[in-house]
Amino acid sequence: MNHFLSSLSYFVDQFYQFEIDSQLAFIALRDSLSTGQTMSKHKLIETCRALDIKSKNAVFIGHWHGLLPFMMNRENFIQAAVGIEKDKIWSDFSNYLNRDWNWKSKNLAIEDYTYDLNTDLIVNTSCEHMTDGWLRDVPSGCLLILQTTNFIHHEHINIQQTLAQFLATLGGFEIQFSDELDCDVYKRFTVVCKKK
């Protein structure tokens, strides 16, 4: 079984061991294993492989369940990482899921986080959930992997209708890769860029 599928299997197994309300666990599994979510993660993993992305000190913003950092560590793309997650239950769950490597999720908003000077990679696959203000604090020279969507949802406050519109929000960044993924009911946009 390849890393991607074994990571998904391991992720599901953690819900048998982590103390969580069964209804919340059901919703989490339903949403995180949806076609669009798994296709988006697979796209990001393949992008990291194609671009040979390696990080010693990564930051994941709005990492939700912590599955993507788990996958990226298993693929040897990242060695150590900090997660920033406003929802305490998922900050705690991600710490449980990622307990076997150098990972620590912090339960706070990105506006309250100060980047370590050694941060070399920032991953934000939840750009639709926040304004673009967080981009101002990104350290110069830092590589970013970003994903957003044009899916209309009550929790999405920063929807980009097209890839071109998403790229237009990144004026202070050197674009290294961009792609659009058709997830049936919505499009997912992936961008790799570097802060100038």
Side-chain angles (χ1 to χ4, degrees):
M1 187 185 301
N2 67 30
H3 283 304
F4 190 82
L5 291 177
S6 67
S7 292
L8 289 177
S9 178
Y10 183 84
F11 170 68
V12 172
D13 287 347
Q14 303 316 295
F15 283 89
Y16 289 101
Q17 301 165 40
F18 184 78
E19 190 172 321
I20 188 172
D21 175 79
S22 60
Q23 181 65 17
L24 184 59
F26 167 77
I27 293 169
L29 286 170
R30 179 198 67 191
D31 293 350
S32 61
L33 298 178
S34 68
T35 300
Q37 286 291 331
T38 52
M39 285 175 63
S40 297
K41 286 177 178 61
H42 189 264
K43 177 65 183 180
L44 194 146
I45 294 294
E46 291 303 307
T47 299
C48 287
R49 185 174 290 115
L51 298 179
D52 194 28
I53 290 175
K54 301 289 184 187
S55 167
K56 293 182 178 178
N57 294 287
V59 173
F60 286 76
I61 300 170
H63 58 71
W64 201 17
H65 309 130
L67 177 56
L68 183 60
F70 178 81
M71 289 177 161
M72 289 179 68
N73 175 257
R74 277 201 161 185
E75 295 281 355
N76 294 314
F77 299 143
I78 55 174
Q79 294 178 19
V82 172
I84 309 302
E85 174 57 54
K86 289 198 303 185
D87 195 331
K88 186 176 187 313
I89 186 68
W90 299 127
S91 182
D92 292 345
F93 179 84
S94 75
N95 283 331
Y96 184 76
L97 174 68
N98 291 285
R99 62 192 178 275
D100 294 331
W101 64 284
N102 194 359
W103 162 267
K104 176 62 179 173
S105 177
K106 299 186 177 190
N107 177 218
L108 47 83
I110 188 57
E111 296 82 11
D112 299 324
Y113 179 72
T114 302
Y115 290 99
D116 185 290
L117 292 177
N118 295 320
T119 300
D120 57 8
L121 175 67
I122 297 172
V123 180
N124 185 344
T125 60
S126 304
C127 294
E128 66 273 15
H129 288 271
M130 59 195 75
T131 66
D132 296 330
W134 69 274
L135 289 165
R136 288 190 299 268
D137 297 325
V138 170
S140 295
C142 191
L143 189 69
L144 287 84
I145 304 174
L146 308 173
Q147 284 187 333
T148 195
T149 179
N150 65 356
F151 184 62
I152 297 171
H153 186 277
H154 70 277
E155 293 181 359
H156 295 175
I157 63 168
N158 191 12
I159 297 171
Q160 307 299 330
Q161 293 300 326
T162 65
L163 178 58
Q165 186 180 6
F166 186 33
L167 290 170
T169 68
L170 300 168
F173 295 80
E174 173 194 323
I175 306 300
Q176 298 187 352
F177 172 87
S178 64
D179 190 65
E180 179 178 306
L181 180 66
D182 189 349
C183 299
D184 294 332
V185 297
Y186 61 87
K187 294 190 186 315
R188 191 82 170 156
F189 311 124
T190 300
V191 172
V192 178
C193 59
K194 184 171 282 193
K195 180 74 175 282
K196 295 177 183 176

